[in-house]
Amino acid sequence: MKKILLMIPLFMLSSGANAETTQDHFKSIIVKNPYTVEVCTQGNGKSDLDNFLTGAIIGGAIGNNIPGEKNGGAIGGVLGGILNTERNKTPQCRTETRYDEETQTVYSHSTVTFTHEGRSYTLRFQR
């Protein structure tokens, strides 16, 4: 590309071509800068009754599988319901990565426009 640009002035001088304009072109880019935040949610979006019933079903199933325990399903259901309800009352926190976006204008390329024998030519190049 540099050889072509060096040859253009010689061509223009020998043939009577006239350079009209040289122009730099720019483009906008978005730069994303990461940062982290801790996000906490209260509960899981369900009512206490829903949480209790879900815990009771799981606790009852586990309690029924304890060998030699009489009424294990009932005890497991009550304990599971209470534990699941309390667990969903405490905040659940996690770390998230988010991004700030910054727009920057950077150099893209340049063009030179010239005329030779009545025709206009535009050449693209990097400076």
Side-chain angles (χ1 to χ4, degrees):
M1 186 60 97
K2 290 182 181 180
K3 292 179 184 178
I4 293 172
L5 291 177
L6 292 176
M7 293 172 60
I8 289 172
L10 294 175
F11 171 78
M12 289 171 22
L13 288 175
S14 65
S15 65
N18 294 321
E20 293 177 5
T21 59
T22 302
Q23 185 176 5
D24 292 333
H25 299 271
F26 297 89
K27 62 183 175 181
S28 293
I29 61 169
I30 296 175
V31 178
K32 290 186 171 187
N33 300 311
Y35 66 95
T36 56
V37 292
E38 185 176 23
V39 178
C40 299
T41 56
Q42 188 69 31
N44 60 0
K46 296 181 181 178
S47 70
D48 284 347
L49 180 60
D50 287 339
N51 287 322
F52 184 85
L53 291 174
T54 302
I57 291 169
I58 295 169
I62 293 171
N64 278 334
N65 289 316
I66 298 175
E69 186 65 40
K70 192 173 187 177
N71 294 327
I75 294 170
V78 170
L79 290 176
I82 292 170
L83 290 175
N84 194 45
T85 302
E86 289 304 311
R87 181 181 69 104
N88 284 302
K89 286 185 178 180
T90 59
Q92 307 292 321
C93 298
R94 66 186 183 285
T95 302
E96 286 185 2
T97 300
R98 295 184 180 175
Y99 298 89
D100 277 333
E101 292 185 355
E102 177 185 345
T103 303
Q104 293 181 355
T105 302
V106 296
Y107 172 78
S108 174
H109 64 281
S110 296
T111 56
V112 60
T113 303
F114 62 93
T115 350
H116 175 66
E117 296 179 356
R119 281 186 73 182
S120 182
Y121 298 92
T122 300
L123 296 176
R124 180 179 173 147
F125 66 95
Q126 297 286 322
R127 60 178 159 106

